[in-house]
Amino acid sequence: MTKLPKDIGINTLLAHAGHDPEDYHGFVNPPVVHASTVLFPDTETMLGRKQRYTYGTRGTPTTDALASAVDALEGSAGTICVPSGLAAVTIPLLAFLSSGDHLLCVDSVYNPTRRFADGLLKRMGVETTYYEPEMGADIERLIRPNTKVVWTESPGSNTFEMQDIPAICEVAHRHDAIVMMDNTWATPLYFKPLDFGVDISIHAATKYPGGHSDVLLGLVSANERCWTQLHDTHITMGCCSGPDDVYQVQRGLKTMGIRLDRHQKSALEIARWCEGQDGIASVLNPALPSHPGYDLWKRDFSGSSGLFSIVLDGGGQDAAAAFLDALTIFGLGYSWGGHESLAVLVNLSDRTVARGDYGGSVIRLQIGLEDPADLVADLERGLAAVKALD
Ligand SMILES: Cc1ncc(COP(=O)(O)O)c(C=O)c1O
């Protein structure tokens, strides 16, 4: 770990955290260690596992470089690297839930998290209750004696509801449950979950840390209380990540601050433009004063990223298809956080309690690094195509 002065700026931290060049012949970047076997000098060292690295699944200088950079950003006791953002969701849930336990999960959750809870966790004997995203301390009435984990994601997937994370943590901890948060949207640059009471912070590093739509990786960071159990489960599951992917993400971290700044500025400019357009009923971005979660966002977050949704002014699926098919710069694709802009029609049919009626199709926009004027012109093409249906 690089010895850095305290009180440095975030971009300085991103540029230098993780790898100390003195540890590897002065090279600025960490080595990419392709490893299964690690040799031991003698039997005593081998039997006692008395050396830093013992086997490829248990960590390498490459995974350590990324994990310690992320610990510096999150303020965590330890971080594991897993092969996808979805694995960063499933591994901590498996680490802390057992048969007979109860999970409280926010209803605006990333859909594959729900699929995991309703499928594999249910089969394991874990019961899940979905709760309203706007629920703060009131979540207490849903807590049961066997509630072990409260899952949060703020803002929520696709509809961007904000959660009162400190209030939820206070209640959960009083009942001995732990709080996990999917913090992919904000990254630790714009929200530091552990500082607000969260025990485990989860990231699809595929998004902003990777930043170029060419790598899948997940990161899970835990506080002191949860680190040993999380780490043990990671080792037990053998769910380690490939060194090239880990390297790509640690490389991506170096520029994440400046990329996020650009995503934020462009997304806000475009979101504000969208608010004034005929054909758009509303804009779902918590960094806009018109959003119901704006006050919570302003209280707890220090920035907003490049993902938000627009609601078309009626017209159903035909209007949504006309809008999307007229776009030439925005690609139609899942994922987000990369350099290129994307659009996707949101499906909210999985919601059980947060069934907001938005009055039109919800379209999620990922604002990339292109010039905002070109993206606005593209959205104008989309809106013109919807109008042409009249
Ligand atoms: C909020 C959120 N969490 C987790 C993931 C999973 O990430 P990955 O695509 O790396 O599995 C995604 C992917 O879209 C996501 O949007």
Side-chain angles (χ1 to χ4, degrees):
M1 166 65 157
T2 319
K3 294 149 216 81
L4 292 169
K6 284 198 179 341
D7 300 327
I8 50 173
I10 193 68
N11 286 300
T12 311
L13 185 63
L14 287 167
H16 294 282
H19 169 64
D20 185 347
E22 275 180 29
D23 290 346
Y24 195 66
H25 310 289
F27 287 104
V28 164
N29 290 305
V32 183
V33 176
H34 287 260
S36 54
T37 302
V38 183
L39 297 179
F40 298 83
D42 51 48
T43 314
E44 193 199 337
T45 315
M46 189 176 199
L47 294 182
R49 294 184 175 259
K50 287 184 186 161
Q51 62 186 27
R52 172 68 195 90
Y53 300 107
T54 55
Y55 192 63
T57 54
R58 290 172 170 252
T60 66
T62 317
T63 57
D64 277 358
L66 176 58
S68 69
V70 175
D71 284 337
L73 293 170
E74 293 273 4
S76 42
T79 292
I80 57 169
C81 307
V82 292
S84 67
L86 184 53
V89 168
T90 60
I91 297 287
L93 286 170
L94 285 173
F96 288 88
L97 288 167
S98 309
S99 180
D101 287 348
H102 176 233
L103 166 69
L104 273 174
C105 184
V106 66
D107 201 35
S108 49
V109 69
Y110 171 58
N111 175 271
T113 307
R114 181 192 299 273
R115 185 183 154 86
F116 182 70
D118 293 349
L120 202 137
L121 287 183
K122 188 173 178 198
R123 183 152 58 77
M124 264 172 58
V126 174
E127 198 183 337
T128 302
T129 304
Y130 293 95
Y131 64 90
E132 287 274 4
E134 277 92 3
M135 201 173 229
D138 199 28
I139 200 167
E140 186 146 24
R141 65 185 167 79
L142 300 180
I143 298 242
R144 301 180 192 171
N146 60 341
T147 305
K148 288 284 156 47
V149 174
V150 179
W151 185 272
T152 63
E153 183 181 331
S154 183
S157 266
N158 299 318
T159 40
F160 302 92
E161 297 88 342
M162 292 298 299
Q163 294 195 250
D164 191 339
I165 298 292
I168 290 172
C169 290
E170 196 278 318
V171 170
H173 290 157
R174 220 166 355 94
H175 291 269
D176 228 14
I178 65 161
V179 180
M180 302 185 184
M181 177 172 180
D182 185 332
N183 190 38
T184 304
W185 185 84
T187 85
L189 269 56
Y190 293 158
F191 185 72
K192 285 179 71 172
L194 273 55
D195 285 358
F196 289 79
V198 171
D199 300 285
I200 297 197
S201 172
I202 284 129
H203 284 279
T206 306
K207 319 299 180 198
Y208 293 114
H212 296 78
S213 309
D214 55 1
V215 64
L216 286 160
L217 202 83
L219 295 163
V220 189
S221 304
N223 60 12
E224 270 318 329
R225 175 187 175 201
C226 295
W227 169 239
T228 305
Q229 194 163 333
L230 177 70
H231 182 243
D232 280 357
T233 307
H234 184 221
I235 299 296
T236 304
M237 301 280 297
C239 196
C240 53
S241 314
D244 297 310
D245 296 341
V246 172
Y247 182 83
Q248 293 260 71
V249 169
Q250 81 77 36
R251 187 182 201 268
L253 280 189
K254 306 297 172 198
T255 56
M256 187 168 79
I258 52 171
R259 283 187 286 105
L260 265 176
D261 193 43
R262 165 82 179 195
H263 285 291
Q264 167 165 236
K265 284 197 177 104
S266 299
L268 280 174
E269 182 181 330
I270 293 167
R272 287 190 193 110
W273 177 85
C274 286
E275 281 200 305
Q277 298 311 304
D278 267 0
I280 297 182
S282 59
V283 180
L284 310 178
N285 182 334
L288 293 179
S290 58
H291 191 275
Y294 176 74
D295 289 342
L296 277 180
W297 172 80
K298 209 166 151 53
R299 186 190 74 185
D300 295 344
F301 285 50
S302 58
S304 60
S305 60
L307 193 75
F308 67 92
S309 289
I310 57 172
V311 182
L312 294 184
D313 197 2
Q317 190 152 332
D318 286 354
F323 178 86
L324 291 168
D325 291 341
L327 301 175
T328 57
I329 296 175
F330 282 86
L332 305 190
Y334 296 105
S335 204
W336 43 282
H339 51 279
E340 83 292 17
S341 290
L342 296 169
V344 67
L345 176 59
V346 169
N347 179 352
L348 296 174
S349 63
D350 62 346
R351 302 279 169 98
T352 57
V353 286
R355 289 182 171 278
D357 178 12
Y358 291 92
S361 298
V362 179
I363 291 176
R364 192 185 74 183
L365 300 176
Q366 124 82 9
I367 304 300
L369 300 174
E370 301 95 335
D371 294 301
D374 295 331
L375 298 176
V376 163
D378 215 25
L379 296 175
E380 275 173 338
R381 279 187 277 276
L383 291 172
V386 177
K387 215 166 180 172
L389 293 176
D390 290 346

